[in-house]
Amino acid sequence: MSAEEMMRLIGGLKVQHGAIFNPPASRSDIEFFERSMQLELPDDLKLLYSLSDGFDIGMFRIVPLTEALNYASELKKGQFYLAEYMIYSDCWIVDLGKGNGYEIKNDQDTGKRFGEITAFLSAFLEGGVEGLFEQRVEV
């Protein structure tokens, strides 16, 4: 995915849903996260965090890297929190233990799994991300 495509997708979140974006994570922020977690982020996640280090849409949030690092001990090696809803009532994690790829899945290991951030965000926009206490976002 190109930077332009990612900007178009997250720009839609701002226009359609009033997303509030955090400042971008710097390259050194991303490298610190990778070193601390002993993993390498996939390119699409690096791109997302280099555009915005997390964002909020109401009670749904993409978790900033520092916050994901703070909660790392709660998950298995190679996993971190990507998104949360209602103060961690529903959570989605990135699981990098899938060979060359990764999965985004609900922390209860239920529902649809996503193989890239754009698929996850697109499903959120369409109201197809399980969790959210069955809330559906109207597009």
Side-chain angles (χ1 to χ4, degrees):
M1 160 163 282
S2 70
E4 293 81 20
E5 291 170 316
M6 181 70 78
M7 285 298 293
R8 198 168 27 254
L9 179 62
I10 64 175
L13 293 169
K14 184 173 185 175
V15 170
Q16 294 173 10
H17 302 290
I20 300 170
F21 294 93
N22 296 339
S26 67
R27 180 70 192 143
S28 62
D29 292 337
I30 293 169
E31 289 172 351
F32 178 78
F33 179 81
E34 291 177 320
R35 274 193 315 277
S36 298
M37 295 288 293
Q38 298 178 327
L39 54 78
E40 184 175 346
L41 288 173
D43 289 342
D44 61 342
L45 291 176
K46 286 181 189 180
L47 176 59
L48 174 70
Y49 282 109
S50 72
L51 296 171
S52 175
D53 189 9
F55 56 85
D56 296 48
I57 302 174
M59 290 193 250
F60 176 82
R61 298 172 53 239
I62 295 295
V63 176
L65 291 175
T66 54
E67 187 174 325
L69 192 54
N70 289 337
Y71 286 100
S73 63
E74 295 181 4
L75 300 171
K76 296 176 185 174
K77 183 177 170 108
Q79 295 181 341
F80 63 92
Y81 288 113
L82 171 70
E84 64 89 12
Y85 177 70
M86 287 187 64
I87 312 171
Y88 285 84
S89 295
D90 286 319
C91 303
W92 293 266
I93 60 172
V94 170
D95 186 348
L96 293 169
K98 302 297 172 195
N100 293 335
Y102 70 94
E103 283 186 332
I104 299 169
K105 60 185 180 180
N106 182 277
D107 67 336
Q108 301 301 310
D109 209 9
T110 60
K112 185 173 181 180
R113 296 168 182 246
F114 302 90
E116 57 184 30
I117 187 63
T118 52
F120 177 76
L121 293 175
S122 294
F124 173 78
L125 285 171
E126 295 166 7
V129 174
E130 288 195 32
L132 302 181
F133 290 111
E134 301 306 317
Q135 172 180 327
R136 296 291 183 240
V137 176
E138 293 188 24
V139 180

